[in-house]
Amino acid sequence: MTYEEFVRKFQIRLNEQQLAAVRSISRPTLVLAVPGSGKTTVLLTRLGYMIYCCGIDPGKILTVTYTVAATKDMQSRFASIFGQEAAERLEFRTINGICAKIIRHFGALAGKEPFELMKDERDKTRLLSEIYREVIQEYATEADLKGLSTWITYIKNMQLTAEELDALSEKEALPLKEIYQAYCSRMRSMARMDYDDQMVYALNILRKSPEVLSHFQDSYTYICVDEAQDTSKIQHRIIALLASRYDNLFMVGDEDQSIYGFRAAYPEALLEFEENHENAQVLLMEENFRSNAGIVEAADRFIQKNVFRHKKCMKAHRKAGADIREVEVKSRRAQYGYLAKVAENCRTETAVLYRDNESILPVIDLLERKGIDYRIKNADLTFFSHKVILDIRNIISFAANPYDTERFMQIYYKIGTYMNKQAAQEACRISVIREMPVLEAALRFGGLPAGTQKSIKSIQTHMEGLLCEPAAQALYRIQKCMGYGDYLELAHISGGKIQILEAIAANEPSALGLVERLQELGAIIQEKKPGPDCQLLFSTIHSSKGLEYDTVYLLDAKDGIFPESVITNRKHASREELKRYEEERRLYYVGVTRAKNNLVIFSFRDGATFTRELLENGTAERKGAEGRAAEALQDSRKSHIGNFKPNQPAVKSITEAAYRDKWEEIMTTGYVKHKIWGEGMLLSADGDDLEIEFAHKTARCRLRFMMEHGMIE
């Protein structure tokens, strides 16, 4: 079949860059495809071209995809264009699929039964839990185990040396090397292997068995790789060995969209492609068919500032549409009320994207309270089992049950008791024998120094106090007065989880209510079944990769959160620091380029580096800042005038002490209850002047005025 006949028969419609990629058959080729450029269409069309125009046996072509779902989707799409018969002769596999085939072939040749694959993640979790308890002498939380599993994947995929593993263990302040070695040893003794082991064993077989390597090289004389930027170092090495005899390697990817560094994605292989393959070529697919021109141009300006990338420029196929909207807020909490309003009237396909799963929990809390429907993609529950969250729950629960010796032993050194382990254990022993509260036992029979007794009495008072106040005040007390904030700082634990907890606590009248609400939210998220017509989706940016939405909201793009840290002077940053920072920039870029028609980004006055860079020299409809403040102030003044008429009661006299107490309460909790506008969250304060986000409006109000006129409770 001639190329012209091929185009007519299968109704091929491609631009010049796409056609160049399709017709590149006889030399190693890397295609760099910008977001929305039709890379899957090109890859499938190229497979059809190889079969129908070049006469290549489809059984000799291996197409490697990132997930099992992608293999099925790609085979189905190929069949819909080129027919089921050809599709069934093609081989679409994940890298693990081809590694399993290599291991089986070697086992048959050697007359050995391969290790059994550990398919159930729960088996791996149980094993890691046992090892964690043996090595660290503590019970691991769900978050701990998920973190360990991720590290083991990283270690194997990056093929870290013993020295590199030592350095990683030291950097993470965790005995990773000991845990990793124990895990590998235990797996071998059980004759089991995990999915990462499959790749380790397959690579070793290819390196040590020329017969097996030759067999697979001749079996797959043409190799195509999708999502090459997400491929790990060990995966690249396996593919390189398989392709080394004929070098008919075709890779499609984009280092600008490499966002899986934590899983050991190795975009450097794309940058080194021409060095590693003789006569190689790099082709570009730069036309974005997905997003409107305004989004494309802003995203391209943003990513151009990255250093570790090929030079390319994303261009828009579509015309300009709605401007990117910037919603300026003064705190993370202000985003939540805004999104709740969006959710109330969501009629078009809308995605709220964020860096970390926990970012969306306060919004979910609000929506559940309001009965508004939503969907979550790949919900993650590890927030609820994180050490910080468990600590807060344990402190509150111990306050409610001061006889609980088990909880006391988990928290005594994290709050300001200044007791050593021996003293804490003795207090628990006395508590059980004399059937009295643990802290009381420590004071009366612990034989403790006067200074320690004073600290314990203070903690006793705080424990009683936190049960009698709103959850937000209780959290403040735990952090600032009971010493837990100092513990986090000394342990170098980020306060990000506390910020999320504070936002949820703002809606709870008591500390015990917060504990119950956390349990409820975990169950709600796990069991969530949205209505069939729900248009609002919550997703991490990682989970949204490869997808597109009519409207996208980017959440938490705030310095210190996303990105975690800002590099202001790249000349003084190490290569590793730059690589980590650029991956965060790529993650932001991927989030931006999910939007087809509308992009809305929350911006923060106290630091929104990525958003400023995205919008500089561009256009954006700016909601917030001066205009939003002016509207709010105008509304506030109108309300003051309209609600208070001459026949109303006289202005109350407010003492300075009462005023100061209320001001400190609001500064501590961020919570205001207005008798007309309902519950509100503090956005900012300038002396007596407060900016407050209510359910249906934002208003600038004077605290003294509201107290004098009985406007707040």
Side-chain angles (χ1 to χ4, degrees):
M1 185 183 294
T2 67
Y3 175 71
E4 290 72 21
E5 291 170 335
F6 174 75
V7 169
R8 284 196 301 272
K9 179 175 181 178
F10 297 110
Q11 299 181 354
I12 306 300
R13 296 182 181 87
L14 301 175
N15 63 27
E16 288 186 12
Q17 288 185 326
Q18 292 172 325
L19 284 173
V22 165
R23 302 182 75 174
S24 177
I25 304 297
S26 58
R27 57 191 292 199
T29 301
L30 170 64
V31 178
L32 298 173
V34 304
S37 60
K39 69 175 181 62
T40 304
T41 298
V42 166
L43 200 154
L44 295 175
T45 304
R46 182 177 181 271
L47 291 173
Y49 176 78
M50 293 169 73
I51 296 168
Y52 291 103
C53 295
C54 303
I56 295 171
D57 179 0
K60 293 287 187 179
I61 305 171
L62 171 66
T63 301
V64 181
T65 62
Y66 195 58
T67 65
V68 173
T71 65
K72 293 177 180 177
D73 177 65
M74 197 170 287
Q75 190 163 30
S76 174
R77 288 177 63 178
F78 182 89
S80 69
I81 302 170
F82 300 108
Q84 188 65 37
E85 184 181 351
E88 289 176 356
R89 294 184 64 199
L90 281 168
E91 196 162 335
F92 296 91
R93 286 187 180 270
T94 62
I95 190 70
N96 280 97
I98 190 62
C99 287
K101 197 171 181 180
I102 291 168
I103 291 169
R104 285 197 302 272
H105 183 79
F106 176 75
L109 287 178
K112 294 181 179 179
E113 190 69 27
F115 284 177
E116 181 186 353
L117 180 63
M118 186 181 280
K119 295 180 180 179
D120 192 334
E121 193 66 23
R122 290 172 297 184
D123 292 339
K124 182 177 181 180
T125 299
R126 280 192 289 269
L127 178 57
L128 282 174
S129 180
E130 292 173 10
I131 294 169
Y132 185 96
R133 191 164 66 250
E134 292 167 7
V135 173
I136 300 185
Q137 300 294 305
E138 290 181 9
Y139 286 96
T141 67
E142 182 185 350
D144 292 329
L145 296 172
K146 184 177 180 181
L148 278 179
S149 182
T150 300
W151 277 123
I152 287 171
T153 290
Y154 180 85
I155 291 164
K156 292 179 181 178
N157 276 265
M158 286 299 288
Q159 298 197 285
L160 297 188
T161 63
E163 293 74 18
E164 289 170 332
L165 191 47
D166 283 330
L168 181 63
S169 300
E170 185 176 347
K171 177 187 169 188
E172 295 299 318
L174 191 67
L176 280 174
K177 184 176 183 179
E178 188 176 352
I179 292 171
Y180 173 72
Q181 290 175 337
Y183 173 78
C184 293
S185 175
R186 202 78 59 89
M187 289 288 282
R188 284 193 298 271
S189 68
M190 296 188 299
R192 305 285 294 277
M193 62 178 169
D194 60 25
Y195 285 101
D196 301 309
D197 287 327
Q198 272 190 323
M199 293 183 285
V200 173
Y201 295 149
L203 179 60
N204 288 338
I205 290 168
L206 293 177
R207 283 175 169 172
K208 295 178 180 178
S209 173
E211 183 181 357
V212 174
L213 176 60
S214 180
H215 169 80
F216 282 96
Q217 286 174 333
D218 288 336
S219 295
Y220 305 120
T221 54
Y222 292 88
I223 298 177
C224 310
V225 181
D226 190 24
E227 301 287 10
Q229 76 282 342
D230 297 329
T231 307
S232 69
K233 182 181 284 188
I234 192 171
Q235 291 168 353
H236 277 293
R237 287 177 175 171
I238 291 168
I239 290 165
L241 276 173
L242 292 174
S244 60
R245 174 170 293 181
Y246 300 100
D247 221 10
N248 291 323
L249 179 61
F250 181 82
M251 304 186 84
V252 185
D254 180 13
E255 71 279 350
D256 289 338
Q257 297 180 73
S258 180
I259 59 174
Y260 291 105
F262 65 96
R263 293 185 191 163
Y266 193 66
E268 288 88 341
L270 276 62
L271 301 176
E272 300 162 357
F273 187 82
E274 290 171 288
E275 297 175 23
N276 295 335
H277 299 276
E278 189 177 348
N279 195 34
Q281 65 175 341
V282 175
L283 302 178
L284 304 178
M285 284 169 47
E286 299 171 294
E287 189 171 9
N288 179 300
F289 294 89
R290 174 189 299 150
S291 307
N292 75 47
I295 295 170
V296 170
E297 290 163 8
D300 184 63
R301 280 196 309 271
F302 177 82
I303 203 63
Q304 291 289 343
K305 294 185 178 180
N306 272 20
V307 175
F308 300 110
R309 66 190 298 270
H310 286 90
K311 184 174 177 57
K312 54 186 175 295
C313 296
M314 183 166 58
K315 302 174 180 66
H317 176 79
R318 295 176 54 199
K319 296 179 180 178
D323 289 338
I324 298 171
R325 289 179 58 209
E326 179 187 7
V327 177
E328 190 174 76
V329 293
K330 295 183 179 179
S331 68
R332 291 182 79 179
R333 198 178 299 174
Q335 304 168 103
Y336 310 142
Y338 190 99
L339 285 173
K341 294 174 191 175
V342 169
E344 285 178 1
N345 303 297
C346 186
R347 300 291 180 270
T348 58
E349 181 188 47
T350 301
V352 179
L353 305 181
Y354 37 90
R355 181 178 185 269
D356 300 313
N357 277 289
E358 65 203 40
S359 292
I360 208 62
L361 294 177
V363 184
I364 290 174
D365 180 48
L366 279 178
L367 297 189
E368 286 292 337
R369 291 175 189 274
K370 293 174 179 287
I372 299 171
D373 202 11
Y374 59 91
R375 291 183 290 138
I376 308 178
K377 183 175 174 61
N378 295 338
D380 185 288
L381 298 174
T382 51
F383 171 85
F384 299 99
S385 66
H386 190 275
K387 278 182 164 45
V388 170
I389 306 305
L390 294 180
D391 285 345
I392 297 295
R393 291 177 62 172
N394 284 335
I395 290 168
I396 294 171
S397 298
F398 179 74
N401 178 13
Y403 296 84
D404 192 334
T405 56
E406 184 176 341
R407 279 204 167 91
F408 179 73
M409 290 305 298
Q410 291 172 338
I411 64 171
Y412 76 91
Y413 59 96
K414 299 174 183 178
I415 54 179
T417 64
Y418 296 102
M419 298 171 71
N420 59 32
K421 186 174 183 179
Q422 184 178 353
Q425 289 173 330
E426 179 64 11
C428 289
R429 187 185 69 81
I430 296 169
S431 168
V432 172
I433 293 172
R434 294 182 176 269
E435 299 183 350
M436 63 193 311
V438 177
L439 293 177
E440 190 65 29
L443 287 172
R444 292 178 59 185
F445 304 104
L448 300 171
T452 305
Q453 290 191 40
K454 184 178 178 181
S455 298
I456 293 172
K457 287 178 182 177
S458 175
I459 292 296
Q460 261 187 326
T461 301
H462 287 306
M463 287 286 185
E464 293 167 1
L466 69 83
L467 294 175
C468 306
E469 59 195 1
Q473 282 183 259
L475 266 183
Y476 182 89
R477 185 189 292 269
I478 290 168
Q479 290 180 83
K480 304 297 183 182
C481 306
M482 296 175 67
Y484 187 68
D486 295 333
Y487 162 76
L488 292 180
E489 189 174 343
L490 287 170
H492 303 291
I493 298 173
S494 167
K497 300 287 187 298
I498 292 286
Q499 291 179 20
I500 299 298
L501 205 54
E502 287 172 339
I504 298 171
N507 298 311
E508 282 297 332
S510 71
L512 285 173
L514 175 61
V515 172
E516 292 173 5
R517 185 58 178 167
L518 290 173
Q519 291 175 325
E520 290 171 358
L521 279 176
I524 286 168
I525 292 168
Q526 191 169 31
E527 299 166 7
K528 181 66 180 176
K529 294 179 181 177
D533 300 324
C534 182
Q535 295 292 314
L536 180 65
L537 172 72
F538 295 135
S539 173
T540 61
I541 299 173
H542 288 100
S543 293
S544 73
K545 191 166 178 295
L547 302 175
E548 56 186 40
Y549 310 96
D550 179 83
T551 299
V552 165
Y553 284 80
L554 268 186
L555 186 66
D556 275 348
K558 172 179 168 59
D559 294 352
I561 301 170
F562 185 20
E564 280 191 305
S565 60
V566 178
I567 294 180
T568 53
N569 190 332
R570 299 193 179 197
K571 292 181 180 179
H572 295 144
S574 69
R575 182 179 176 85
E576 285 305 310
E577 288 171 335
L578 277 176
K579 284 168 65 177
R580 284 195 299 272
Y581 185 59
E582 290 206 353
E583 176 156 336
E584 293 224 51
R585 292 176 58 81
R586 296 194 295 266
L587 187 63
Y588 186 87
Y589 171 76
V590 168
V592 166
T593 54
R594 298 311 94 195
K596 293 191 289 186
N597 298 314
N598 303 288
L599 176 63
V600 186
I601 304 176
F602 292 102
S603 177
F604 297 81
R605 287 186 184 178
D606 60 345
T609 299
F610 285 177
T611 300
R612 284 199 303 272
E613 288 186 19
L614 180 80
L615 299 177
E616 67 184 13
N617 303 320
T619 58
E621 176 194 343
R622 195 166 196 182
K623 181 143 181 136
E626 295 82 4
R628 185 165 175 255
E631 289 174 11
L633 184 57
Q634 187 177 25
D635 287 345
S636 176
R637 286 172 177 165
K638 285 179 182 176
S639 297
H640 289 170
I641 294 169
N643 289 326
F644 296 94
K645 299 178 180 179
N647 61 351
Q648 288 186 324
V651 174
K652 296 178 183 178
S653 177
I654 304 297
T655 66
E656 282 303 311
Y659 172 82
R660 188 169 56 253
D661 287 345
K662 176 57 73 173
W663 189 89
E664 288 178 356
E665 175 190 321
I666 293 172
M667 293 306 106
T668 300
T669 66
Y671 175 80
V672 177
K673 188 167 185 180
H674 196 284
K675 289 186 177 178
I676 298 170
W677 298 333
E679 296 179 335
M681 294 179 292
L682 180 68
L683 299 182
S684 66
D686 184 7
D688 186 57
D689 196 15
L690 311 181
E691 187 179 16
I692 304 168
E693 179 94 3
F694 294 98
H696 302 292
K697 68 188 303 178
T698 297
R700 192 175 291 280
C701 315
R702 294 192 302 277
L703 176 60
R704 190 178 296 278
F705 182 95
M706 291 191 293
M707 291 180 68
E708 289 173 343
H709 291 84
M711 297 171 67
I712 58 174
E713 297 180 3

